[in-house]
Amino acid sequence: MSRRFWSVFFLALLAGALAGYAQESGGKSDELAKAVQALDEAPEAAEPAAAGKPAAPTQQSPAQQPNIIADVQVKGNRIVSTNTILSKIQSRKGGQLVQETVNGDVKRLYSAGFFEDIQMEVEEKPEGYVLVVSVVEKPIIRTIKIKGFSIFKEEKLRKTLKVVEGQILDRQAVKQGVEEIRKMYAEKGYRFVDVQSEADVDSTTKEAIVTITILEGESYRIRSVKFEGVKAFKPKKLAKLMKTKQRNLWLFRRGVFNEGKFQKDIERIKLYYQQEGYLDVRVEPRFDYDKEHRAILIAISAEEGKHYVTGEIKIQGNKLFPESEIWQRLEMLPGMTYSQYYLSKDVEAARDYYQEQGYMDARVVPDIGLNKDTGKVDVTYQIEEGDLYFVEKVVVRGNTKTKDMVIRRELRIRPGERFDGEKIKKSKQRLENLNYFEEITYDTEPTQTPNRKDLIFRVKEKRTGELSFGGGISSVDNLVGFAEIAQRNFDLFNWPRFTGGGQSVSLGARIGTISQNFNLNFTEPYLFNRPYALSTDLYNTRRDDKNVDYNEGRLGAGTTLSRAFKDVFRAGGGYTFERVELYDLADDAPDTVRKFDGKTWLSRMKTFGSYDTRDSIISPMKGQLASLGGELIGTFLGGDESYYILNAAYTYYWNVFKKHLLEMKARVGVSDSLSGSDEVPVFDRFYAGGLGTVRGYEYRRVGPMENGDAVGGQSMAIINMEYSVPIPYLEGFRGAVFMDAGQVNSDTFDFGFNEVAMSVGPGLKMKTPIGPIAFYYGYPVANPDEKNENGRFEFSFGRGF
């Protein structure tokens, strides 16, 4: 026999012996690696041929190729199928036996979560080596028992545990489920609940019984939250920052302690101190327990430390713009409270200033010099101005339904222009006003052209079609039902989807106990892709005799055409042909009403103009809206009456503090007859009183009255002022106070202020999933309504306020 044969035979025996003695995969892998390496390094030279004779061809036996896997076998599995185990390893029959692959196979099997122990063994066979995978499976959960519970139902506890019978026992998952149950009890006030788990495994059947034992203890509630060592602020101020509150049944507070919320409260207090210049503050809580009354007493101790103020401020590196321009953007000035919060805001403001001028790569790096002895912090803003950039391309991404044209016509920055932050923000605002998108962001991307970047607008579309049904109540219409089908992003020529063109169409009905309204509207905001808006309406409305001596019906059709100028101005005009009918007049109705009994045909020409700088048309927080309009109704246009109506309105939105809104609105209107009669028809006069005009007064009961009911006037003036603030920790809630004043007089241009109705009061606004709700109580302070001298509760529930 050749020396090669004996060498290979000896190494094979050695590899088999090493594999057989290994006790676990990690231990065997070292010996297996050595054996495989030895086999790989076996000499390949054959015996030299006999002198004068050619060497005979050699044919290697399987034993001469021991690094080839002849077979892969699985042992010990009863639950997990062999095919599943083989699919998770990379060592294959016919492949090479490689140490790294075997190590990886062990890791992959362990990560599957099915096994408690895994062993890899190598057995020698005449045809090669057999890799044997021996596994010890995790037990199966046969039963889950929960003991000691009384507060929650077993179904809820099992759902919280998230471990079910029939699945493989995962002790970590059981531990996590136990912790979730403990948290659920803690949120109910059971701060000292004890939850234990135990798994009893049958070694023969490999089935487990999991037992969850709950010691509920007593329910504890927060009796008090006190502050210690607080000198810089009033304790009430800090208490408002916290969501953890003591028990108060009158305010519907349960006083349940929540660990996660409490830790966030502590961080919130620390952050507030640091924002106000107390950089070294330390806040530590302490808990005391009254076991007799099952109460938690929380004391929060604050070591405030020194109050730091801003020292010297320097601006360096600015060459393109004067220092004064940057100073105007800074909020944290010398002598004011120093905080990292205000510093980051000023850095952002300075960077925004440069980007608004087109310097998109500008960097502002603050250098801080803190002097603990003097309590002053010097700040140096080091500016790296960078280069001026221009827009290469404007790219729109994310729109799958809305046409590019609809988006691009709202953008106020064009390719080739320098980057302008104000124009970019204005473009984003105009896209938000479309109300087509859930999210709008913008960014830049580099190009191959120096000093040029692409401007990218990304949009995430939302549903713009609505089919809504509902009902509501209000202090004007009492019970109201509505149904509407609308598409805000309509396209008349995109069949069959009819979306993406930026048009709007709606068909709606609103039926209340006082008024009924049916309306069909179509609006094209960019006629022929020009800034002209065309709108048409068909309507049929009915209004009952609430505080008047007649019922009223209107049936009409109209169209308007307007043009936008410079984004903030709009002017236009329109025509409406209308039939007004007064019916079911009261027996004591005055002549002012009786002369217009029956049907009256009206031909109305109107013109209007507006100036709008609001930051949002949906939820404005700043800006102003001014409008002026007039209507000419004449027999020479084909109607039965001749008169005119003039209206003017001005609204100002002032963001006083963060999310605090002061809204001021003023409206005036006059009308007069153009015929022999000196009266405007009673159905087109001005009325006031109630929600929307002067709160606290009955609907339409501000102004001229005859026989105890309103007959309207030919002059009107109304002023509304409202201050609203968000209510902390109540998302979508705003508290408000208001003042309303108004008058309606019989004669044209009569604005004598001796008959002014005035009211004040509080209000509450809520945005809810079923629609916005508004509550007000108006108390008359001048010329009270005879029916409600002590004021009136006003409320509305609908889709807009």
Side-chain angles (χ1 to χ4, degrees):
M1 297 232 175
S2 68
R3 284 176 297 177
R4 173 174 174 78
F5 173 82
W6 288 111
S7 298
V8 171
F9 180 75
F10 175 75
L11 291 174
L13 288 178
L14 178 61
L18 291 174
Y21 280 102
Q23 297 300 316
E24 55 187 19
S25 61
K28 287 190 281 299
S29 57
D30 293 336
E31 287 84 358
L32 182 62
K34 294 177 183 177
V36 173
Q37 183 178 3
L39 292 171
D40 290 339
E41 294 174 355
E44 297 180 1
E47 280 190 338
K53 294 181 180 181
T58 60
Q59 182 174 359
Q60 293 182 338
S61 66
Q64 291 174 304
Q65 303 180 43
N67 58 334
I68 300 299
I69 301 174
D71 194 12
V72 179
Q73 298 179 359
V74 179
K75 295 181 179 180
N77 60 313
R78 292 184 304 170
I79 301 170
V80 184
S81 69
T82 298
N83 288 336
T84 299
I85 295 174
L86 292 176
S87 69
K88 294 186 178 297
I89 64 176
Q90 294 182 357
S91 297
R92 296 283 187 268
K93 180 179 178 180
Q96 286 190 331
L97 186 63
V98 180
Q99 175 67 28
E100 289 78 5
T101 305
V102 173
N103 290 344
D105 290 340
V106 173
K107 292 180 181 178
R108 279 184 283 274
L109 288 175
Y110 269 119
S111 65
F114 300 149
F115 311 109
E116 289 185 340
D117 187 40
I118 303 166
Q119 295 185 13
M120 294 286 199
E121 299 177 353
V122 175
E123 296 180 359
E124 182 190 5
K125 297 289 183 182
E127 64 273 13
Y129 279 87
V130 176
L131 181 64
V132 179
V133 183
S134 298
V135 298
V136 178
E137 295 173 318
K138 289 182 178 180
I140 293 292
I141 300 175
R142 186 182 73 188
T143 307
I144 298 176
K145 298 180 180 179
I146 303 179
K147 300 179 179 179
F149 61 92
S150 62
I151 304 303
F152 298 103
K153 293 182 178 180
E154 184 174 353
E155 181 183 356
K156 184 172 182 63
L157 292 172
R158 287 180 177 271
K159 186 176 180 180
T160 305
L161 184 63
K162 296 181 181 178
V163 176
V164 297
E165 284 117 347
Q167 76 178 54
I168 291 175
L169 175 62
D170 186 337
R171 299 181 188 275
Q172 184 62 29
V174 173
K175 183 178 178 181
Q176 292 175 355
V178 166
E179 181 61 21
E180 290 300 318
I181 291 176
R182 191 198 67 78
K183 289 180 180 178
M184 187 171 68
Y185 269 92
E187 289 176 358
K188 278 284 188 179
Y190 291 83
R191 182 158 171 73
F192 301 104
V193 65
D194 184 25
V195 186
Q196 299 291 335
S197 65
E198 182 182 0
D200 184 12
V201 180
D202 188 325
S203 58
T204 304
T205 63
K206 282 293 182 179
E207 292 181 331
I209 298 175
V210 177
T211 303
I212 308 296
T213 304
I214 303 173
L215 299 175
E216 294 178 331
E218 301 288 347
S219 173
Y220 278 67
R221 303 290 170 142
I222 302 171
R223 179 192 293 173
S224 64
V225 180
K226 296 182 179 180
F227 293 89
E228 298 175 352
V230 176
K231 300 177 182 178
F233 311 105
K234 292 182 179 180
K236 288 184 178 180
K237 178 64 178 178
L238 299 181
K240 288 181 179 180
L241 300 174
M242 300 180 63
K243 292 187 177 180
T244 301
K245 305 289 185 182
Q246 65 189 49
R247 190 177 189 183
N248 190 320
L249 297 179
W250 293 104
L251 298 178
F252 303 101
R253 292 179 186 158
R254 297 185 300 152
V256 175
F257 182 84
N258 184 293
E259 184 71 32
K261 289 182 179 179
F262 183 73
Q263 291 302 324
K264 290 181 180 179
D265 289 339
I266 297 298
E267 291 300 319
R268 201 177 290 115
I269 292 173
K270 287 181 182 178
L271 179 61
Y272 180 74
Y273 263 102
Q274 291 169 356
Q275 287 181 354
E276 296 303 320
Y278 294 88
L279 306 182
D280 304 325
V281 66
R282 295 180 59 189
V283 181
E284 297 291 341
R286 187 182 74 250
F287 300 93
D288 294 317
Y289 300 96
D290 183 346
K291 293 186 178 180
E292 181 180 354
H293 299 94
R294 295 180 297 173
I296 305 175
L297 294 84
I298 303 175
I300 301 174
S301 175
E303 295 181 18
E304 296 178 334
K306 183 172 292 186
H307 179 248
Y308 289 89
V309 297
T310 308
E312 185 179 9
I313 293 181
K314 295 181 181 179
I315 299 174
Q316 297 179 353
N318 59 304
K319 300 175 182 178
L320 298 169
F321 304 104
E323 193 173 300
S324 59
E325 292 291 330
I326 302 171
W327 271 95
Q328 291 180 15
R329 298 296 184 102
L330 304 182
E331 293 186 26
M332 191 173 68
L333 302 176
M336 297 175 63
T337 293
Y338 172 84
S339 79
Q340 193 70 27
Y341 172 75
Y342 294 115
L343 176 70
S344 61
K345 286 188 65 176
D346 286 349
V347 169
E348 188 70 21
R351 186 166 56 241
D352 285 348
Y353 172 75
Y354 269 89
Q355 291 182 351
E356 288 171 4
Q357 313 307 316
Y359 293 85
M360 306 303 294
D361 292 338
R363 297 179 65 240
V364 181
V365 181
D367 184 18
I368 308 302
L370 187 147
N371 190 325
K372 291 197 172 185
D373 295 331
T374 62
K376 290 187 177 182
V377 183
D378 298 330
V379 182
T380 300
Y381 295 102
Q382 187 65 44
I383 299 176
E384 299 176 12
E385 296 178 320
D387 297 326
L388 178 63
Y389 278 84
F390 295 85
V391 179
E392 178 77 4
K393 292 186 296 184
V394 178
V395 182
V396 178
R397 295 175 182 167
N399 55 314
T400 58
K401 295 183 295 185
T402 307
K403 294 179 179 178
D404 262 23
M405 174 189 67
V406 174
I407 297 175
R408 291 182 180 278
R409 67 194 184 192
E410 302 296 333
L411 304 182
R412 292 302 175 259
I413 188 166
R414 301 285 186 265
E417 298 180 350
R418 71 170 177 84
F419 274 90
D420 188 320
E422 284 299 320
K423 287 185 177 180
I424 295 175
K425 291 178 182 178
K426 182 68 174 177
S427 300
K428 181 175 182 289
Q429 177 187 317
R430 291 182 64 85
L431 291 179
E432 288 173 345
N433 287 341
L434 292 177
N435 202 22
Y436 299 165
F437 310 108
E438 289 182 8
E439 184 179 0
I440 303 166
T441 59
Y442 56 85
D443 200 355
T444 60
E445 288 183 355
T447 67
Q448 296 180 351
T449 307
N451 295 350
R452 287 183 176 267
K453 290 187 177 185
D454 290 339
L455 177 59
I456 313 298
F457 282 91
R458 293 182 175 88
V459 298
K460 182 179 179 182
E461 292 179 313
K462 63 181 179 182
R463 294 180 179 178
T464 53
E466 295 179 353
L467 176 61
S468 56
F469 302 89
I473 52 177
S474 77
S475 53
V476 174
D477 273 333
N478 295 340
L479 295 176
V480 178
F482 62 83
E484 182 179 58
I485 181 171
Q487 174 57 258
R488 298 189 306 274
N489 191 7
F490 185 70
D491 189 347
L492 183 61
F493 304 106
N494 183 17
W495 188 90
R497 295 178 62 186
F498 296 107
T499 59
Q503 304 162 351
S504 68
V505 62
S506 65
L507 174 63
R510 178 184 174 93
I511 302 174
T513 55
I514 294 175
S515 63
Q516 300 84 43
N517 187 354
F518 300 89
N519 181 270
L520 172 63
N521 172 268
F522 172 81
T523 300
E524 168 56 78
Y526 278 82
L527 188 63
F528 305 121
N529 205 29
R530 304 279 293 174
Y532 293 91
L534 177 67
S535 179
T536 59
D537 286 278
L538 297 173
Y539 59 90
N540 185 3
T541 66
R542 296 280 170 177
R543 183 176 295 166
D544 294 345
D545 56 350
K546 175 75 171 179
N547 293 325
V548 292
D549 290 315
Y550 55 88
N551 292 332
E552 175 187 320
R554 289 177 182 260
L555 176 66
T559 184
T560 61
L561 180 66
S562 63
R563 190 187 193 283
F565 301 90
K566 302 293 184 181
D567 291 341
V568 295
F569 294 98
R570 179 171 291 275
Y575 174 78
T576 299
F577 192 68
E578 181 181 54
R579 187 198 71 188
V580 181
E581 180 181 9
L582 300 188
Y583 59 97
D584 293 342
L585 273 61
D587 294 337
D588 60 348
D591 292 340
T592 305
V593 175
R594 291 192 174 279
K595 68 173 61 178
F596 298 104
D597 185 14
K599 298 177 182 178
T600 305
W601 294 90
L602 303 174
S603 186
R604 319 173 74 103
M605 293 287 294
K606 65 179 178 181
T607 183
F608 58 88
S610 66
Y611 172 73
D612 189 354
T613 64
R614 293 174 295 174
D615 60 336
S616 169
I617 63 174
I618 301 170
S619 299
M621 292 297 291
K622 61 181 179 180
Q624 52 189 319
L625 172 63
S627 63
L628 182 66
E631 283 191 274
L632 180 63
I633 300 94
T635 55
F636 55 90
L637 297 173
D640 296 333
E641 297 289 337
S642 294
Y643 54 96
Y644 69 86
I645 302 173
L646 300 177
N647 288 284
Y650 178 78
T651 305
Y652 185 76
Y653 300 91
W654 185 19
N655 192 356
V656 185
F657 300 108
K658 186 178 180 180
K659 296 185 179 179
H660 287 217
L661 176 64
L662 176 61
E663 179 181 351
M664 297 181 291
K665 180 185 291 186
R667 287 170 286 174
V668 295
V670 295
S671 61
D672 200 2
S673 174
L674 295 175
S675 61
S677 170
D678 58 355
E679 288 185 329
V680 174
V682 67
F683 50 76
D684 260 355
R685 295 184 185 180
F686 298 107
Y687 294 86
L691 194 66
T693 54
V694 185
R695 285 161 283 196
Y697 290 78
E698 276 272 5
Y699 177 59
R700 286 186 162 185
R701 288 189 63 83
V702 172
M705 313 283 288
E706 291 187 27
N707 298 336
D709 286 319
V711 294
Q714 297 184 176
S715 297
M716 178 193 70
I718 294 175
I719 297 175
N720 307 106
M721 296 181 64
E722 181 172 301
Y723 187 85
S724 65
V725 299
I727 299 177
Y729 313 122
L730 292 176
E731 185 69 27
F733 283 66
R734 295 184 70 87
V737 292
F738 68 88
M739 187 280 291
D740 293 341
Q743 67 161 12
V744 177
N745 293 327
S746 300
D747 297 330
T748 305
F749 293 103
D750 182 2
F751 296 107
F753 294 102
N754 37 337
E755 294 295 330
V756 173
M758 183 179 295
S759 65
V760 297
L764 177 66
K765 294 181 174 183
M766 295 172 284
K767 290 184 178 180
T768 70
I770 57 175
I773 304 174
F775 298 93
Y776 296 99
Y777 187 85
Y779 181 78
V781 294
N783 294 312
D785 183 1
E786 295 178 358
K787 287 188 176 182
N788 294 281
E789 293 184 357
N790 295 320
R792 178 178 169 81
F793 181 65
E794 306 273 3
F795 61 94
S796 68
F797 162 56
R799 291 170 295 168
F801 64 81

